[in-house]
Amino acid sequence: VQLQASGGGLVQAGGSLRLSCGASGRRFSGSVMGWFRQAPGKERTFVAGIDRNGGSTDYADSVKGRFTISRDNAKNTVYLQMNSLKPEDTAVYFCAAGEFVYWVDFLKRTTSYNYWGQGTLVTVSS
């Protein structure tokens, strides 16, 4: 699976962005998908994850109620709708695919994912 993230940019605090991650290959619908982010000088952290059919999701506490992950298996695309953005959301956002994850609790683990996209930068100004 090859992943291509897009949709990042500069937005004011309180604004919204929608990230997209397109996947090539036939493994997309057989993979759980996740979004992670990495702020300058910090480790990569979990943001949101979704199971294969979109029926189960998980979110980091810091984004619950503001971000929504979704997927369209017909389009091989996963989305991250980000609302009420805060300056602390500034980071490079990465999408990832995991073929061998079968429990929702594992969506938040970086080790659950075996394919990663290149990242898209989100900058939230105050």
Side-chain angles (χ1 to χ4, degrees), residues 9 15 21 31 43 46 61 80 91-92 94 104 108 110 115 125:
C21 177
S31 299
E43 294 185 349
F46 171 73
D61 289 342
L80 185 68
V92 177
F94 299 88
V104 174
K108 59 175 61 70
T110 56
Y115 298 102
S125 63

Side-chain angles (χ1 to χ4, degrees), residues 18-101:
R18 188 175 82 154
L19 305 184
S20 299
C21 177
S24 63
R26 293 175 291 179
R27 299 190 182 98
F28 178 80
S29 61
S31 299
V32 300
M33 300 297 297
W35 286 98
F36 290 75
R37 66 187 180 187
Q38 187 166 17
K42 295 188 177 181
E43 294 185 349
R44 191 172 299 188
T45 59
F46 171 73
V47 176
I50 190 167
D51 70 355
R52 290 168 176 78
N53 61 12
S56 295
T57 57
D58 193 15
Y59 295 92
D61 289 342
S62 58
V63 307
K64 281 181 182 176
R66 300 189 298 123
F67 291 12
T68 302
I69 187 171
S70 61
R71 67 189 295 165
D72 185 337
N73 286 346
K75 295 182 178 180
N76 278 12
T77 303
V78 62
Y79 305 97
L80 185 68
Q81 178 66 43
M82 306 186 294
N83 298 329
S84 302
L85 282 161
K86 304 175 181 180
E88 51 263 44
D89 295 318
T90 294
V92 177
Y93 283 72
F94 299 88
C95 60
E99 297 179 272
F100 308 111
V101 178

